[in-house]
Amino acid sequence: MDLVGLLKSQFLCHLVFCYVFIASGLIVNTIQLCTLVLWPIDKQLFRRINCRLSYCVSSQLVMLLEWWSGTECTIYTDPRAFPKYGKENAIVILNHKFEIDFLCGWSLAERFGILGNSKVLAKKELSYVPIIGWMWYFTEMIFCTRKWEQDRQTVARSLLHLRDYPEKYLFLIHCEGTRFTEKKHQISMQVAQAKGLPSLKHHLLPRTKGFAITVRCLRDVVPAVYDCTLNFRNNENPTLLGVLNGKKYHADCYVRRIPMEDIPEDEDQCSAWLHKLYQEKDAFQEEYYRTGVFPETPRVPARRPWALLNWLFWASLLLYPFLQFLVNMVSSGSSVTLASFILVFCMASMGVRWMIGVTEIDKGSAYGNIDNRQKQSD
């Protein structure tokens, strides 16, 4: 390992990133709370401000991926569709197999200039997570309980609020509902067999109702669906811990732009269309494993400096007073103060590990457990 690689793997560096992220995130959350007074006065101004505040937080994770880790993402897509990316609203369907697939999606959104406006259909529990979850609440993310009778009206109502959104956005939906594991895949294919659906080798059975209602509510304001199939070269299985340690990965993403008018309006036909789409995605993955490339023309969108500049701003604002506080604490010589310092350090260490653990695949969802098999229907 070279000197730079050794430096990137040090816990002290990780602690710095964690401190800047948490401190700046809480500041941003506080400012977002103050912006609530704008909602009844000027809703669109509230939205524009919160888009920029959201960028202050999410771009720090993108900075880790692009500038600290140096991970690159190559897009394989139709050259005629490429100029439209970032210039229009779109629903994004992304496979859910890797711990950092969401981060790769954010990286592409950043390179197309719409990271602050990115939306996602996420489980409701995430709305209670400090910083990221709270940030999502103020940027009108769509939260669901995964109990369709409860979600039908609340999800539709939230989606309809996005029809007059003032800026271009990507709405990301993981139709598989949870990350791919062999255990989940086995259970999912049992469900597919019971329903008479074709088996999938590299994906879980998609949950169609959330996608169908998203298409129905946004059809007139979203001109296209982007079908994205993500994989990593050399059969790598990237992790957030690897990114934090500065390990470089190379992602390949096949993006197909599908005009909204090509997607059926009828719910049953829309569900059948989505199942067919996942059969095609499975074939693309199989071809990638065989050849190492996706179809279409490879493109690497230019990396922008704003994520790095944003992190440097927050680091310069927050690190000096923090370091000064630590020096004063250690130099005081008080045993109580030193014990407090050690306690804070240990808690910070646990905090870093917890934040990493949230993304780990084996700690994802209870999909596939015996008690949850009855919940896997559409």
Side-chain angles (χ1 to χ4, degrees), residues 333-348:
S334 168
S335 57
V336 175
T337 302
L338 291 175
S340 300
F341 171 74
I342 294 173
L343 179 62
V344 170
F345 185 85
C346 292
M347 291 177 63

Side-chain angles (χ1 to χ4, degrees), residues 187 191 195 205 207 367-368 372-378:
I187 299 299
V191 175
K195 292 185 174 183
L205 192 68
R207 299 179 179 183
Y367 187 107
N372 286 277
R373 293 188 185 189
Q374 298 303 318
K375 299 179 182 179
Q376 307 313 319
S377 64
D378 284 340

Side-chain angles (χ1 to χ4, degrees), residues 91-271:
I91 298 169
V92 179
I93 301 174
L94 182 64
N95 55 320
H96 207 10
K97 189 172 184 178
F98 305 100
E99 289 184 11
I100 66 168
D101 49 20
F102 78 97
L103 203 48
C104 291
W106 281 9
S107 176
L108 291 177
E110 158 62 14
R111 296 192 181 204
F112 290 122
I114 51 176
L115 174 61
N117 305 329
S118 296
K119 312 293 179 188
V120 67
L121 179 62
K123 56 185 180 181
K124 187 174 179 61
E125 292 83 356
L126 291 176
S127 66
Y128 305 117
V129 176
I131 303 174
I132 291 289
W134 297 348
M135 173 195 77
W136 281 357
Y137 174 82
F138 287 104
T139 51
E140 299 173 77
M141 296 294 179
I142 313 300
F143 296 105
C144 62
T145 63
R146 294 181 177 178
K147 297 178 181 178
W148 183 242
E149 293 307 316
Q150 296 180 20
D151 289 333
R152 182 188 298 271
Q153 293 184 351
T154 56
V155 170
R157 185 164 55 248
S158 298
L159 286 166
L160 290 173
H161 288 162
L162 297 181
R163 292 181 61 84
D164 65 342
Y165 208 79
E167 300 188 14
K168 304 303 180 187
Y169 60 84
L170 298 179
F171 185 85
L172 172 63
I173 179 170
H174 290 292
C175 294
E176 294 165 273
T178 185
R179 287 197 182 98
F180 182 101
T181 67
E182 290 302 328
K183 179 181 178 181
K184 295 173 185 177
H185 179 256
Q186 181 181 3
I187 299 299
S188 181
M189 291 306 98
Q190 290 175 3
V191 175
Q193 185 178 15
K195 292 185 174 183
L197 296 169
S199 295
L200 301 173
K201 186 176 180 180
H202 305 290
H203 298 83
L204 304 179
L205 192 68
R207 299 179 179 183
T208 61
K209 290 184 177 179
F211 175 75
I213 198 170
T214 300
V215 168
R216 177 167 60 84
C217 292
L218 300 180
R219 178 174 291 274
D220 297 333
V221 296
V222 172
V225 168
Y226 297 167
D227 171 41
C228 301
T229 305
L230 178 70
N231 218 322
F232 287 84
R233 296 183 186 179
N234 304 316
N235 291 320
E236 288 186 310
N237 188 16
T239 64
L240 185 57
L241 182 60
V243 171
L244 200 56
N245 283 326
K247 184 175 181 180
K248 182 175 182 176
Y249 302 102
H250 199 127
D252 288 323
C253 188
Y254 180 37
V255 183
R256 292 189 295 169
R257 183 185 183 276
I258 304 171
M260 188 64 77
E261 54 265 26
D262 292 351
I263 302 174
E265 295 189 31
D266 177 77
E267 183 173 329
D268 291 337
Q269 293 180 11
C270 184
S271 298

